[in-house]
Amino acid sequence: MKVKEELNKEQDKKNELDWSFAKWLDYFSKEPTEDELDDMQKQSYKIYPSNNTNYQPLRGA
């Protein structure tokens, strides 16, 4: 069972890295949808800088 799982993992890695350039370009050249942009914006609010605890980007200067 473990051998089969390892073989599946190796096959998945090969499939991930074996993209043709046209397929890669098609995947990454699409513009994000409104939902994806909203998700990106929500995720950016969760990021807090660890080197300056007084930095608050939503407050302004």
Side-chain angles (χ1 to χ4, degrees):
M1 201 65 175
K2 290 184 181 182
V3 174
K4 187 176 181 180
E5 290 175 6
E6 289 297 322
L7 290 174
N8 286 341
K9 285 181 186 179
E10 287 180 18
Q11 186 65 31
D12 290 342
K13 285 182 184 178
K14 286 181 185 177
N15 288 341
E16 286 178 8
L17 298 177
D18 193 21
W19 281 13
S20 66
F21 180 73
K23 186 177 178 182
W24 177 87
L25 186 63
D26 183 47
Y27 180 79
F28 286 106
S29 66
K30 296 177 185 171
E31 290 187 22
T33 62
E34 289 294 323
D35 292 336
E36 290 174 337
L37 289 174
D38 290 341
D39 289 342
M40 287 181 208
Q41 189 172 16
K42 287 177 186 175
Q43 287 177 357
S44 69
Y45 290 147
K46 294 179 184 178
I47 299 173
Y48 296 105
S50 60
N51 61 349
N52 187 354
T53 57
N54 295 322
Y55 177 69
Q56 296 174 353
L58 298 179
R59 265 194 176 173

